[in-house]
Amino acid sequence: MSRPSGLRVSVPAEARGQRLDKFLAAELAAKNLSRSRLRVLMDAGAVLVDGALRPAKYSLRGGEALDVALPEAAPTSIKATKIPLDVLFEDKDLLVINKPAGLVTHPGAGHFDDTLANALLYHCGRSLKAGAKGMRPGIVHRLDKDTSGCLVAAKSEAAFSGLQAMIAARQVTRVYLTLVWGDLPEDSGTIDAPLGRGADRKRMDVRPGSGKAAVTHFTVRRRFAQATELECRLETGRTHQIRAHLRSIGHAVVGDRSYNRVPAHLPEGLREALDKVLKRQALHAYQLQFRHPITKRMVRAQAPEPADFRAARKVLKGAA
C-alpha cells in the first residue's frame, strides 16, 4: 500500500471567518472530498492548521497553512477471503461470531482483505445479501481490533435493518468481561458520562456538554491484589466506551496501550509477566442476547473466555 499523499493549502485573507471544513471542502472539490469525509479525516488527525489539530468548526483567521494527508483511493468493493470463523449461532438471516483479538471488523486503512467482513463474504457466499456490494457487508456493530468475543452480523436486509433498530432502541444485551487496574471501592455501579473525541483524535474522553450519551453498568466478579475483574453491560455502544469510561474513574483496562494508566508501584516482575501472556487489552465480549428480528425467538450467545484472558487472570492471582 502506498503512503497517503500530502497537500498544503494556504488560506487567503478573504477566507477569514469561514469554517475550516467548509473552506476545505470548497478548495478540495476536485478531489471529491465532502465535508463529512473531511470531518472523518480531521478525527483521524489528518488535517493540521499551522501544525496543530483544530475542530471542523474552527473559524479561520486568514493566512494559515493547512496540511492535509490525503489517503490513497480505497477499493469500492471487497473480496471474499478464507479466514476461519468461530460461529456461535447461525441461521438463514444472521450469525453470531466469536471474534478473535487481532481481527479487524471491517475494511479501513491498511486492512482491505483481512477483516471479518472479508471472512463473512467467504463463509456465507451468496446467502450474504445485507450490504454485500458495500465495504461493510453484514456488519451491524463492531468490536475494536484487539477486543475479542460476540459479534452479530446480518445476512438478509430485513435482519440488518431489524438489528440496527434494536441496537438503537437499546434492546440488545451486550456483556463484557474485563480486568482493570486497582481495587474499585463498590461491588457494582454505573458510569453515566458523555463521550467524545478530545485533543488526541484517536481516543475518546468524557466530554460533558459536547459528547454523546454513554452509559456503562459494571459488577465486580473477583478482586486481586493489584487489579479487579469486572462484568460490564453496555446500555449504549459508543466507540471505546468501556475503555474510556473505566479510565475516567481511574481504573484503566489491563493491557490497554491507548488508555493506559498503570499503577506507579507494581510488584516486581508483574508488568513483565502480564506482557508475556497478554498482548492486547483485557476486554472480551462475553455474552450477547437479543430477540431475533425475523423469528422473534430469543438468541443467547456466549463466547468462551480466551486463553490470554485466563492467563492474565492467573498472573494477577499469583501477584502479592
Side-chain angles (χ1 to χ4, degrees):
M1 180 181 295
S2 61
R3 293 182 179 179
S5 59
L7 180 68
R8 170 158 285 199
V9 178
S10 297
V11 179
E14 55 268 25
R16 181 182 179 87
Q18 288 189 33
R19 281 176 57 117
L20 173 60
D21 58 347
K22 185 176 181 179
F23 171 79
L24 268 181
E27 287 292 309
L28 305 180
K31 297 186 179 294
N32 296 316
L33 284 174
S34 64
R35 287 175 69 179
S36 60
R37 177 58 179 150
L38 280 169
R39 289 193 193 97
V40 172
L41 290 176
M42 291 175 188
D43 286 344
V47 177
L48 300 178
V49 180
D50 289 336
L53 291 171
R54 300 295 183 191
K57 64 182 180 180
Y58 173 77
S59 180
L60 295 167
R61 302 185 308 273
E64 297 101 327
L66 310 181
D67 290 299
V68 185
L70 297 176
E72 65 174 319
T76 56
S77 62
I78 64 173
K79 68 177 185 178
T81 305
K82 187 177 181 180
I83 300 172
L85 290 178
D86 182 4
V87 179
L88 302 174
F89 172 88
E90 183 173 9
D91 65 10
K92 67 183 183 66
D93 289 294
L94 58 85
L95 68 166
V96 180
I97 304 297
N98 178 16
K99 188 190 86 67
L103 181 63
V104 175
T105 301
H106 53 70
H111 295 277
F112 291 116
D113 58 6
D114 59 351
T115 72
L116 176 62
N118 300 100
L120 285 171
L121 280 177
Y122 185 91
H123 175 85
C124 298
R126 294 183 179 179
S127 68
L128 181 57
K129 297 179 174 62
K133 295 183 179 180
M135 296 298 290
R136 302 185 181 188
I139 303 298
V140 180
H141 66 118
R142 63 182 292 274
L143 293 177
D144 296 335
K145 175 185 175 184
D146 290 326
T147 297
S148 56
C150 295
L151 184 146
V152 61
K155 292 182 180 180
S156 67
E157 292 291 354
F160 185 85
S161 58
L163 287 166
Q164 280 193 323
M166 286 190 290
I167 289 174
R170 305 182 184 183
Q171 295 172 346
V172 176
T173 300
R174 288 173 282 180
V175 179
Y176 290 70
L177 299 182
T178 187
L179 298 166
V180 300
W181 290 112
D183 185 15
L184 276 73
E186 58 273 0
D187 291 332
S188 63
T190 295
I191 306 171
D192 185 349
L195 295 173
R197 298 188 188 276
D200 183 346
R201 308 301 287 174
K202 295 182 180 180
R203 199 174 72 183
M204 305 299 287
D205 293 312
V206 171
R207 299 182 66 81
S210 62
K212 294 182 179 179
V215 180
T216 303
H217 307 282
F218 67 86
T219 303
V220 172
R221 298 184 93 217
R222 54 174 61 86
R223 300 179 187 274
F224 307 99
Q226 304 295 330
T228 306
E229 181 174 340
L230 301 178
E231 181 176 289
C232 295
R233 181 173 62 82
L234 292 181
E235 187 170 316
T236 56
R238 306 302 178 195
T239 300
H240 299 177
Q241 179 172 316
I242 292 175
R243 299 162 65 191
H245 266 172
L246 292 173
R247 180 184 185 275
S248 74
I249 63 171
H251 296 278
V253 174
V254 172
D256 193 337
R257 272 64 174 176
S258 297
Y259 294 84
N260 206 5
R261 280 186 179 173
V262 179
H265 303 290
L266 289 178
E268 185 176 354
L270 176 57
R271 188 180 308 189
E272 291 77 9
L274 281 170
D275 286 343
K276 288 181 180 180
V277 300
L278 189 68
K279 308 297 183 183
R280 48 98 177 201
Q281 66 258 13
L283 187 59
H284 178 63
Y286 182 54
Q287 295 176 339
L288 187 67
Q289 180 175 304
F290 57 91
R291 189 169 296 282
H292 195 294
I294 308 302
T295 68
K296 306 306 178 184
R297 295 179 178 177
M298 289 301 298
V299 176
R300 298 178 179 88
Q302 181 167 303
E305 296 176 10
D308 60 352
F309 193 100
R310 296 196 307 271
R313 180 194 289 137
K314 185 175 181 180
V315 169
L316 289 168
K317 186 177 180 179

